[in-house]
Short mmCIF file of all heavy atoms in Angstrom, two decimals:
data_model
loop_
_atom_site.label_atom_id
_atom_site.label_comp_id
_atom_site.label_asym_id
_atom_site.label_seq_id
_atom_site.Cartn_x
_atom_site.Cartn_y
_atom_site.Cartn_z
N PRO A 11 9.14 15.47 -6.14
CA PRO A 11 7.75 15.08 -5.84
C PRO A 11 6.72 15.77 -6.73
O PRO A 11 5.73 15.16 -7.13
CB PRO A 11 7.57 15.48 -4.36
CG PRO A 11 8.67 16.45 -4.08
CD PRO A 11 9.81 16.08 -4.97
N GLU A 12 6.91 17.07 -7.07
CA GLU A 12 5.91 17.78 -7.87
C GLU A 12 5.82 17.19 -9.27
O GLU A 12 4.72 16.92 -9.78
CB GLU A 12 6.27 19.27 -7.93
CG GLU A 12 6.13 19.98 -6.59
CD GLU A 12 6.40 21.46 -6.71
OE1 GLU A 12 6.64 21.93 -7.84
OE2 GLU A 12 6.37 22.16 -5.68
N LYS A 13 6.97 17.00 -9.91
CA LYS A 13 6.95 16.45 -11.27
C LYS A 13 6.55 14.97 -11.27
O LYS A 13 5.93 14.51 -12.24
CB LYS A 13 8.32 16.65 -11.92
CG LYS A 13 8.65 18.10 -12.20
CD LYS A 13 9.97 18.24 -12.94
CE LYS A 13 10.26 19.70 -13.25
NZ LYS A 13 11.56 19.87 -13.96
N ASP A 14 6.91 14.25 -10.21
CA ASP A 14 6.47 12.85 -10.13
C ASP A 14 4.94 12.76 -10.09
O ASP A 14 4.36 11.82 -10.66
CB ASP A 14 7.06 12.18 -8.88
CG ASP A 14 8.50 11.74 -9.09
OD1 ASP A 14 8.91 11.61 -10.26
OD2 ASP A 14 9.21 11.54 -8.10
N LYS A 15 4.31 13.73 -9.45
CA LYS A 15 2.85 13.74 -9.40
C LYS A 15 2.27 13.98 -10.79
O LYS A 15 1.28 13.35 -11.19
CB LYS A 15 2.37 14.82 -8.43
CG LYS A 15 0.86 14.84 -8.23
CD LYS A 15 0.44 15.88 -7.21
CE LYS A 15 -1.07 15.89 -7.02
NZ LYS A 15 -1.50 16.91 -6.03
N VAL A 16 2.89 14.89 -11.57
CA VAL A 16 2.45 15.14 -12.94
C VAL A 16 2.61 13.89 -13.78
O VAL A 16 1.71 13.51 -14.56
CB VAL A 16 3.24 16.31 -13.55
CG1 VAL A 16 2.88 16.50 -15.02
CG2 VAL A 16 2.97 17.60 -12.78
N LEU A 17 3.76 13.21 -13.63
CA LEU A 17 3.99 11.98 -14.39
C LEU A 17 2.98 10.91 -14.02
O LEU A 17 2.48 10.19 -14.89
CB LEU A 17 5.41 11.48 -14.13
CG LEU A 17 6.56 12.31 -14.70
CD1 LEU A 17 7.89 11.81 -14.19
CD2 LEU A 17 6.53 12.27 -16.22
N GLU A 18 2.67 10.79 -12.74
CA GLU A 18 1.69 9.79 -12.29
C GLU A 18 0.33 10.04 -12.92
O GLU A 18 -0.34 9.09 -13.37
CB GLU A 18 1.59 9.83 -10.77
CG GLU A 18 0.64 8.80 -10.18
CD GLU A 18 0.54 8.89 -8.67
OE1 GLU A 18 1.28 9.70 -8.08
OE2 GLU A 18 -0.28 8.17 -8.09
N GLU A 19 -0.09 11.30 -12.99
CA GLU A 19 -1.38 11.62 -13.59
C GLU A 19 -1.40 11.27 -15.08
O GLU A 19 -2.37 10.67 -15.58
CB GLU A 19 -1.69 13.10 -13.39
CG GLU A 19 -1.93 13.49 -11.93
CD GLU A 19 -2.11 14.98 -11.77
OE1 GLU A 19 -1.95 15.70 -12.76
OE2 GLU A 19 -2.41 15.42 -10.63
N GLN A 20 -0.33 11.65 -15.80
CA GLN A 20 -0.32 11.41 -17.25
C GLN A 20 -0.18 9.93 -17.57
O GLN A 20 -0.78 9.44 -18.54
CB GLN A 20 0.79 12.22 -17.90
CG GLN A 20 0.62 13.72 -17.72
CD GLN A 20 1.45 14.54 -18.70
OE1 GLN A 20 1.87 14.06 -19.74
NE2 GLN A 20 1.66 15.81 -18.35
N VAL A 21 0.60 9.20 -16.78
CA VAL A 21 0.69 7.74 -16.97
C VAL A 21 -0.66 7.10 -16.70
O VAL A 21 -1.08 6.17 -17.42
CB VAL A 21 1.79 7.16 -16.07
CG1 VAL A 21 1.70 5.63 -16.03
CG2 VAL A 21 3.16 7.58 -16.56
N GLY A 22 -1.37 7.57 -15.67
CA GLY A 22 -2.69 7.03 -15.37
C GLY A 22 -3.67 7.23 -16.52
O GLY A 22 -4.47 6.34 -16.83
N GLU A 23 -3.61 8.41 -17.16
CA GLU A 23 -4.49 8.66 -18.31
C GLU A 23 -4.17 7.72 -19.47
O GLU A 23 -5.07 7.22 -20.15
CB GLU A 23 -4.34 10.12 -18.74
CG GLU A 23 -4.87 11.13 -17.71
CD GLU A 23 -4.62 12.55 -18.14
OE1 GLU A 23 -4.03 12.74 -19.23
OE2 GLU A 23 -4.98 13.48 -17.38
N LEU A 24 -2.87 7.48 -19.71
CA LEU A 24 -2.48 6.58 -20.79
C LEU A 24 -2.92 5.14 -20.50
O LEU A 24 -3.34 4.41 -21.41
CB LEU A 24 -0.97 6.65 -21.01
CG LEU A 24 -0.43 7.96 -21.58
CD1 LEU A 24 1.09 7.97 -21.56
CD2 LEU A 24 -0.93 8.18 -23.01
N LEU A 25 -2.80 4.73 -19.23
CA LEU A 25 -3.25 3.38 -18.85
C LEU A 25 -4.76 3.23 -19.03
O LEU A 25 -5.25 2.22 -19.54
CB LEU A 25 -2.86 3.08 -17.41
CG LEU A 25 -1.41 2.71 -17.15
CD1 LEU A 25 -1.13 2.68 -15.65
CD2 LEU A 25 -1.07 1.36 -17.77
N LYS A 26 -5.50 4.26 -18.61
CA LYS A 26 -6.96 4.21 -18.71
C LYS A 26 -7.40 4.14 -20.17
O LYS A 26 -8.39 3.46 -20.49
CB LYS A 26 -7.55 5.44 -18.03
CG LYS A 26 -9.07 5.46 -17.98
CD LYS A 26 -9.58 6.69 -17.25
CE LYS A 26 -11.10 6.71 -17.22
NZ LYS A 26 -11.61 7.94 -16.51
N ALA A 27 -6.68 4.84 -21.04
CA ALA A 27 -7.02 4.84 -22.46
C ALA A 27 -6.54 3.58 -23.17
O ALA A 27 -6.91 3.35 -24.33
CB ALA A 27 -6.44 6.07 -23.14
N GLY A 28 -5.71 2.77 -22.51
CA GLY A 28 -5.21 1.55 -23.14
C GLY A 28 -4.05 1.78 -24.08
O GLY A 28 -3.74 0.91 -24.91
N HIS A 29 -3.38 2.92 -23.97
CA HIS A 29 -2.27 3.22 -24.86
C HIS A 29 -0.95 2.65 -24.36
O HIS A 29 -0.01 2.52 -25.14
CB HIS A 29 -2.14 4.74 -25.04
CG HIS A 29 -3.31 5.35 -25.72
ND1 HIS A 29 -3.66 6.68 -25.58
CD2 HIS A 29 -4.24 4.81 -26.56
CE1 HIS A 29 -4.74 6.93 -26.30
NE2 HIS A 29 -5.11 5.81 -26.89
N ILE A 30 -0.87 2.33 -23.09
CA ILE A 30 0.33 1.72 -22.53
C ILE A 30 -0.08 0.57 -21.64
O ILE A 30 -1.26 0.42 -21.29
CB ILE A 30 1.19 2.73 -21.72
CG1 ILE A 30 0.39 3.26 -20.52
CG2 ILE A 30 1.68 3.87 -22.59
CD1 ILE A 30 1.22 4.14 -19.59
N ARG A 31 0.88 -0.26 -21.25
CA ARG A 31 0.65 -1.35 -20.31
C ARG A 31 1.92 -1.55 -19.49
O ARG A 31 3.01 -1.13 -19.90
CB ARG A 31 0.28 -2.65 -21.03
CG ARG A 31 1.34 -3.16 -21.99
CD ARG A 31 0.93 -4.48 -22.61
NE ARG A 31 1.85 -4.90 -23.67
CZ ARG A 31 2.98 -5.59 -23.45
NH1 ARG A 31 3.32 -5.93 -22.21
NH2 ARG A 31 3.76 -5.95 -24.45
N GLU A 32 1.76 -2.16 -18.34
CA GLU A 32 2.93 -2.45 -17.53
C GLU A 32 3.75 -3.56 -18.19
O GLU A 32 3.20 -4.45 -18.86
CB GLU A 32 2.51 -2.86 -16.12
CG GLU A 32 1.92 -1.74 -15.29
CD GLU A 32 1.81 -2.10 -13.82
OE1 GLU A 32 2.87 -2.22 -13.17
OE2 GLU A 32 0.67 -2.28 -13.36
N VAL A 33 5.05 -3.52 -17.96
CA VAL A 33 5.94 -4.49 -18.61
C VAL A 33 7.01 -4.91 -17.61
O VAL A 33 7.41 -4.13 -16.74
CB VAL A 33 6.57 -3.88 -19.89
CG1 VAL A 33 7.48 -2.71 -19.54
CG2 VAL A 33 7.33 -4.93 -20.67
N GLN A 34 7.46 -6.15 -17.74
CA GLN A 34 8.55 -6.68 -16.92
C GLN A 34 9.68 -7.15 -17.82
O GLN A 34 9.45 -7.64 -18.93
CB GLN A 34 8.07 -7.84 -16.05
CG GLN A 34 7.05 -7.43 -14.98
CD GLN A 34 6.63 -8.62 -14.14
OE1 GLN A 34 6.75 -9.76 -14.57
NE2 GLN A 34 6.12 -8.34 -12.94
N PHE A 35 10.90 -7.00 -17.34
CA PHE A 35 12.10 -7.44 -18.06
C PHE A 35 12.18 -6.88 -19.49
O PHE A 35 12.37 -7.65 -20.45
CB PHE A 35 12.17 -8.97 -18.10
CG PHE A 35 11.89 -9.62 -16.78
CD1 PHE A 35 10.75 -10.39 -16.60
CD2 PHE A 35 12.76 -9.46 -15.71
CE1 PHE A 35 10.48 -10.98 -15.38
CE2 PHE A 35 12.50 -10.06 -14.49
CZ PHE A 35 11.37 -10.82 -14.31
N PRO A 36 12.04 -5.58 -19.68
CA PRO A 36 12.16 -5.03 -21.04
C PRO A 36 13.60 -5.07 -21.53
O PRO A 36 14.55 -4.97 -20.73
CB PRO A 36 11.67 -3.58 -20.87
CG PRO A 36 11.97 -3.24 -19.46
CD PRO A 36 11.79 -4.53 -18.68
N THR A 37 13.79 -5.24 -22.82
CA THR A 37 15.14 -5.27 -23.39
C THR A 37 15.69 -3.85 -23.59
O THR A 37 16.88 -3.61 -23.45
CB THR A 37 15.13 -5.98 -24.76
OG1 THR A 37 14.14 -5.37 -25.61
CG2 THR A 37 14.77 -7.45 -24.57
N TRP A 38 14.82 -2.92 -23.94
CA TRP A 38 15.19 -1.50 -24.05
C TRP A 38 14.40 -0.73 -22.99
O TRP A 38 13.26 -1.07 -22.68
CB TRP A 38 14.83 -0.95 -25.43
CG TRP A 38 15.61 -1.54 -26.57
CD1 TRP A 38 15.43 -2.76 -27.13
CD2 TRP A 38 16.69 -0.94 -27.27
NE1 TRP A 38 16.32 -2.96 -28.15
CE2 TRP A 38 17.11 -1.84 -28.27
CE3 TRP A 38 17.34 0.30 -27.17
CZ2 TRP A 38 18.16 -1.57 -29.15
CZ3 TRP A 38 18.38 0.58 -28.05
CH2 TRP A 38 18.79 -0.35 -29.02
N LEU A 39 15.03 0.30 -22.44
CA LEU A 39 14.36 1.09 -21.41
C LEU A 39 14.79 2.55 -21.54
O LEU A 39 15.99 2.85 -21.56
CB LEU A 39 14.69 0.56 -20.01
CG LEU A 39 13.86 1.13 -18.85
CD1 LEU A 39 12.39 0.82 -19.05
CD2 LEU A 39 14.35 0.59 -17.52
N SER A 40 13.81 3.45 -21.65
CA SER A 40 14.08 4.87 -21.82
C SER A 40 13.49 5.67 -20.67
O SER A 40 12.58 5.20 -19.98
CB SER A 40 13.49 5.36 -23.16
OG SER A 40 13.99 4.62 -24.25
N ASN A 41 14.01 6.86 -20.49
CA ASN A 41 13.52 7.77 -19.46
C ASN A 41 12.44 8.67 -20.03
O ASN A 41 12.38 8.92 -21.24
CB ASN A 41 14.66 8.63 -18.92
CG ASN A 41 15.35 7.97 -17.74
OD1 ASN A 41 14.77 7.85 -16.66
ND2 ASN A 41 16.58 7.53 -17.94
N VAL A 42 11.61 9.18 -19.15
CA VAL A 42 10.62 10.18 -19.55
C VAL A 42 11.23 11.57 -19.38
O VAL A 42 12.18 11.77 -18.62
CB VAL A 42 9.33 10.06 -18.71
CG1 VAL A 42 8.62 8.77 -19.02
CG2 VAL A 42 9.63 10.17 -17.23
N VAL A 43 10.68 12.53 -20.12
CA VAL A 43 11.12 13.92 -20.07
C VAL A 43 9.88 14.78 -19.98
O VAL A 43 8.91 14.57 -20.72
CB VAL A 43 11.94 14.30 -21.32
CG1 VAL A 43 12.38 15.76 -21.23
CG2 VAL A 43 13.15 13.40 -21.46
N LEU A 44 9.87 15.76 -19.08
CA LEU A 44 8.77 16.70 -18.97
C LEU A 44 9.13 17.97 -19.74
O LEU A 44 10.13 18.63 -19.43
CB LEU A 44 8.47 17.03 -17.51
CG LEU A 44 7.71 15.96 -16.73
CD1 LEU A 44 7.55 16.37 -15.28
CD2 LEU A 44 6.34 15.71 -17.36
N VAL A 45 8.32 18.29 -20.74
CA VAL A 45 8.56 19.45 -21.59
C VAL A 45 7.49 20.49 -21.30
O VAL A 45 6.30 20.17 -21.32
CB VAL A 45 8.53 19.05 -23.08
CG1 VAL A 45 8.78 20.26 -23.97
CG2 VAL A 45 9.56 17.96 -23.35
N PRO A 46 7.88 21.74 -21.02
CA PRO A 46 6.86 22.77 -20.75
C PRO A 46 6.11 23.16 -22.01
O PRO A 46 6.70 23.35 -23.07
CB PRO A 46 7.70 23.95 -20.21
CG PRO A 46 9.07 23.73 -20.76
CD PRO A 46 9.24 22.26 -20.87
N LYS A 47 4.78 23.24 -21.90
CA LYS A 47 3.94 23.66 -23.02
C LYS A 47 3.72 25.16 -22.94
O LYS A 47 4.04 25.82 -21.95
CB LYS A 47 2.60 22.91 -22.96
CG LYS A 47 2.74 21.40 -23.03
CD LYS A 47 1.44 20.70 -22.74
CE LYS A 47 0.37 20.97 -23.75
NZ LYS A 47 -0.86 20.20 -23.51
N SER A 48 3.16 25.71 -24.02
CA SER A 48 2.90 27.15 -24.05
C SER A 48 1.88 27.57 -23.01
O SER A 48 1.81 28.73 -22.61
CB SER A 48 2.40 27.55 -25.45
OG SER A 48 1.23 26.84 -25.80
N THR A 49 1.06 26.61 -22.53
CA THR A 49 0.05 26.89 -21.51
C THR A 49 0.63 26.82 -20.10
O THR A 49 -0.11 26.86 -19.13
CB THR A 49 -1.11 25.89 -21.63
OG1 THR A 49 -0.61 24.56 -21.51
CG2 THR A 49 -1.81 26.05 -22.97
N ARG A 50 1.97 26.66 -19.99
CA ARG A 50 2.68 26.56 -18.72
C ARG A 50 2.41 25.23 -18.02
O ARG A 50 2.75 25.07 -16.86
CB ARG A 50 2.34 27.73 -17.78
CG ARG A 50 2.58 29.08 -18.35
CD ARG A 50 4.02 29.29 -18.78
NE ARG A 50 4.93 29.15 -17.66
CZ ARG A 50 5.26 30.14 -16.84
NH1 ARG A 50 4.72 31.33 -17.02
NH2 ARG A 50 6.11 29.95 -15.85
N LYS A 51 1.79 24.28 -18.72
CA LYS A 51 1.62 22.94 -18.19
C LYS A 51 2.74 22.06 -18.73
O LYS A 51 3.56 22.49 -19.54
CB LYS A 51 0.24 22.37 -18.57
CG LYS A 51 -0.92 23.12 -17.93
CD LYS A 51 -2.24 22.46 -18.28
CE LYS A 51 -3.41 23.19 -17.62
NZ LYS A 51 -4.71 22.54 -17.94
N TRP A 52 2.77 20.80 -18.28
CA TRP A 52 3.84 19.89 -18.68
C TRP A 52 3.32 18.83 -19.63
O TRP A 52 2.20 18.34 -19.50
CB TRP A 52 4.42 19.21 -17.43
CG TRP A 52 5.13 20.14 -16.51
CD1 TRP A 52 4.64 20.68 -15.36
CD2 TRP A 52 6.45 20.66 -16.65
NE1 TRP A 52 5.56 21.50 -14.77
CE2 TRP A 52 6.69 21.50 -15.55
CE3 TRP A 52 7.45 20.50 -17.60
CZ2 TRP A 52 7.89 22.17 -15.36
CZ3 TRP A 52 8.66 21.17 -17.42
CH2 TRP A 52 8.87 21.99 -16.32
N ARG A 53 4.15 18.45 -20.59
CA ARG A 53 3.85 17.35 -21.50
C ARG A 53 4.88 16.26 -21.27
O ARG A 53 6.09 16.52 -21.30
CB ARG A 53 3.89 17.81 -22.96
CG ARG A 53 3.68 16.64 -23.95
CD ARG A 53 4.03 17.02 -25.36
NE ARG A 53 3.13 18.01 -25.89
CZ ARG A 53 3.53 19.13 -26.49
NH1 ARG A 53 4.81 19.38 -26.62
NH2 ARG A 53 2.65 19.98 -26.98
N MET A 54 4.42 15.05 -21.04
CA MET A 54 5.33 13.92 -20.82
C MET A 54 5.77 13.35 -22.15
O MET A 54 4.95 12.96 -22.99
CB MET A 54 4.65 12.83 -19.98
CG MET A 54 5.61 11.73 -19.56
SD MET A 54 4.80 10.28 -18.84
CE MET A 54 4.23 9.44 -20.33
N CYS A 55 7.07 13.32 -22.38
CA CYS A 55 7.66 12.71 -23.56
C CYS A 55 8.63 11.62 -23.10
O CYS A 55 8.96 11.52 -21.93
CB CYS A 55 8.37 13.74 -24.42
SG CYS A 55 7.32 15.11 -24.97
N VAL A 56 9.08 10.82 -24.05
CA VAL A 56 10.01 9.74 -23.74
C VAL A 56 11.29 9.96 -24.54
O VAL A 56 11.25 10.30 -25.72
CB VAL A 56 9.39 8.36 -24.08
CG1 VAL A 56 10.36 7.24 -23.71
CG2 VAL A 56 8.08 8.18 -23.33
N ASP A 57 12.42 9.78 -23.88
CA ASP A 57 13.74 9.98 -24.51
C ASP A 57 14.10 8.72 -25.30
O ASP A 57 14.78 7.83 -24.80
CB ASP A 57 14.77 10.27 -23.42
CG ASP A 57 16.14 10.57 -24.01
OD1 ASP A 57 16.25 10.63 -25.25
OD2 ASP A 57 17.10 10.76 -23.25
#
C-alpha cells in the first residue's frame, strides 16, 4: 500500500503533464520499479 500510493502520485503527475495516457490491449507491457533517490524519496522507473 505505501509504495502503491507513491506510484499513484507519480502517475498522476505524468497524466497531468500529458506525458502518458491510458491504454487498452497493449502489445508490450512492462512493470514499474521504484528506485530510492539520494534524498530518500522514490523515483518511478519502468523495466
Side-chain angles (χ1 to χ4, degrees):
E12 292 184 3
K13 292 184 178 179
D14 279 341
K15 184 177 180 181
V16 175
L17 291 171
E18 182 181 356
E19 293 175 355
Q20 298 198 20
V21 168
E23 293 176 0
L24 291 172
L25 282 171
K26 184 178 179 181
H29 295 156
I30 62 174
R31 60 177 173 85
E32 291 193 69
V33 65
Q34 294 181 338
F35 314 113
T37 54
W38 294 76
L39 190 61
S40 303
N41 270 291
V42 293
V43 180
L44 283 177
V45 180
K47 300 170 65 175
S48 58
T49 58
R50 304 302 300 273
K51 294 183 179 181
W52 294 100
R53 176 193 294 131
M54 188 191 79
C55 302
V56 182
D57 183 5

